[in-house]
């Protein structure tokens, strides 16, 4: 008997919940979608544009070199949104999963810090952290949580050089330690959750393949289809804030 969409999701949730209970090493890769229900716009979603610029146009070293003030205005706007945002039940569910499963590793592409605020302890940040700034001159990295940023943009380091957001831009390589940890966790996982990401940005999106090649089963949580769905063992078609809590 053909199952309707709701029944399929119910079955998958039941099955996946059981698989999660039995698995000891689990990894999750999250993207902007897990913060959508906190009111933080995704990159490629309907409201992903800011002043008609796409993230690919602003999140690059070239854009920063050409117009550091514009790039900082975009980050200042995002920092303001994120400051007002609260972690949602999706973030909280992954923090709970970490408490229940010592072998769980959370890998995120997000720079918003909402996983940390939700109580996740060891978050592998592949693309950096919006609340850290780095000096383009002396390389010093420091925490800067000022919202909105006061004074001239770009903000300046004590050494006089311009500060940049300590995030990974397009064309820049990922921080080695974070990438190593993400590879390890994916390569030893029995279960790999891909939550709230369009899986178009590499090398992050390649982690699912690393997990599958190591024998992991793959679960996707996303209201929209993604390129990884075809190879997944479970596809939960819905919002993370609703579905993740039901997996615990
Ligand atoms: C690298 C940090 C090379 C900053 C980001 C040409 C030139 C140069 C590079 C390339 C090129 N072609 C390809 C590349 C590689 C490039 C790349 O992959 N480009 C893509 C666009 C094709 N990658 C890179 O450049 C990376 N570096 O390759 O370096 C190298 C190698 C060695 C040595 C030197 C150099 C660096 C990539 C990192 C870029 N930085 N962000 C910032 O945030 O400001 S990327 C940006 O995209 C964010 O990090 C974001 O996390 C990431 C992925 O996007 P998503 O998170 O998936 O968000 P998106 O909006 O796309 O999707 C949201 C999803 O959520 C959707 O599926 C939606 O359905 C779903 N959703 C919505 N609501 C919900 C939901 N899901 C669940 N619940 C909901 N409620
Ligand atoms: Zn400096």
């Amino acid at each position: 008997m053909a199952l309707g969409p709701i029944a399929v999701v119910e079955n998958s949730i039941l099955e996946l919940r059981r698989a999660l209970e039995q698995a000891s090493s689990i990894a999750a890769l999250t993207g902007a979608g897990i913060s959508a229900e906190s009111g933080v716009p995704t990159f490629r979603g309907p409201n992903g544009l800011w002043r008609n610029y796409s993230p690919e146009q602003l999140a690059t070293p070239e854009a920063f070199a050409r117009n550091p003030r514009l790039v900082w205005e975009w980050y200042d706007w995002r920092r303001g949104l994120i400051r007002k945002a609260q972690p949602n039940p999706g973030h909280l569910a992954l923090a709970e999963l970490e408490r229940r499963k010592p072998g769980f590793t959370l890998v995120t592409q997000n720079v918003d810090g909402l996983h940390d605020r939700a109580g996740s302890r060891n978050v592998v940040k592949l693309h950096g952290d919006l609340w850290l700034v780095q000096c383009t001159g002396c390389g010093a990295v420091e925490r800067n949580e000022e919202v909105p940023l006061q004074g001239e943009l770009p903000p300046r380091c004590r050494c006089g050089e311009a500060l940049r957001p300590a995030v990974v831009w397009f064309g820049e390589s990922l921080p080695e330690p974070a990438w190593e940890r993400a590879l390890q966790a994916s390569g030893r996982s029995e279960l790999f959750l891909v939550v709230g990401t369009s899986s178009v940005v590499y090398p992050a999106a390649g982690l699912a393949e690393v997990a599958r090649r190591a024998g992991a089963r793959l679960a996707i949580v996303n209201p929209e289809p993604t390129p990884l769905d075809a190879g997944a063992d479970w596809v939960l078609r819905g919002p993370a804030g609703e579905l993740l809590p039901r997996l615990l």
Side-chain angles (χ1 to χ4, degrees):
M1 168 263 268
L3 287 174
I6 302 297
V8 169
V9 175
E10 292 306 320
N11 275 1
S12 311
I13 288 176
L14 221 57
E15 257 187 38
L16 181 51
R17 186 166 51 219
R18 221 169 276 132
L20 278 166
E21 272 156 16
Q22 281 148 15
S24 48
S25 69
I26 303 168
L29 172 69
T30 64
I34 198 168
S35 298
E37 288 156 274
S38 299
V40 181
T42 61
F43 286 86
R44 294 162 190 87
N47 53 2
L49 296 183
W50 172 79
R51 293 192 201 162
N52 293 328
Y53 290 100
S54 80
E56 278 78 5
Q57 289 171 293
L58 294 170
T60 71
E62 293 75 25
F64 187 75
R66 194 173 43 251
N67 192 339
R69 192 163 51 75
L70 176 74
V71 172
W72 263 115
E73 283 170 359
W74 178 49
Y75 279 97
D76 198 27
W77 172 74
R78 287 173 65 194
R79 287 156 55 110
L81 274 185
I82 291 163
R83 168 61 56 75
K84 287 198 288 286
Q86 291 303 323
N88 67 60
H91 296 109
L92 297 169
L94 291 180
E96 172 58 27
L97 185 57
E98 184 186 81
R99 282 188 285 275
R100 292 188 192 180
K101 295 278 177 182
F104 174 66
T105 305
L106 174 58
V107 180
T108 188
Q109 301 170 88
N110 299 343
V111 297
D112 57 28
L114 286 176
H115 283 305
D116 307 81
R117 283 173 53 194
S120 291
R121 289 274 153 273
N122 56 343
V123 183
V124 180
K125 295 186 173 85
L126 293 181
H127 296 159
D129 185 335
L130 197 59
W131 301 110
L132 293 177
V133 295
Q134 177 158 36
C135 178
T136 56
C138 68
V141 175
E142 60 188 30
R143 186 159 286 282
N144 172 315
E145 300 188 345
E146 193 179 46
V147 170
L149 284 164
Q150 308 297 330
E152 272 292 291
L153 293 181
R156 295 264 158 203
C157 173
R158 279 180 293 284
C159 82
E161 294 301 322
L163 292 168
R164 60 167 280 177
V167 300
V168 179
W169 282 329
F170 288 103
E172 296 186 322
S173 48
L174 278 55
E176 201 45 47
W179 181 240
E180 266 316 301
R181 275 181 67 198
L183 280 176
Q184 295 291 326
S186 308
R188 67 165 177 266
S189 64
E190 301 158 63
L191 214 43
F192 194 82
L193 309 175
V194 182
V195 181
T197 179
S198 56
S199 292
V200 296
V201 174
Y202 282 80
L207 290 170
E209 192 42 38
V210 169
R212 275 176 54 76
R213 231 182 285 126
R217 285 192 289 175
L218 190 58
I220 314 272
V221 177
N222 197 316
E224 303 290 328
T226 84
L228 299 184
D229 292 1
D233 297 84
W234 297 276
V235 175
L236 299 189
R237 182 70 70 235
E242 274 170 43
L243 292 172
L244 289 182
R246 297 175 54 195
L247 293 178
L248 296 182

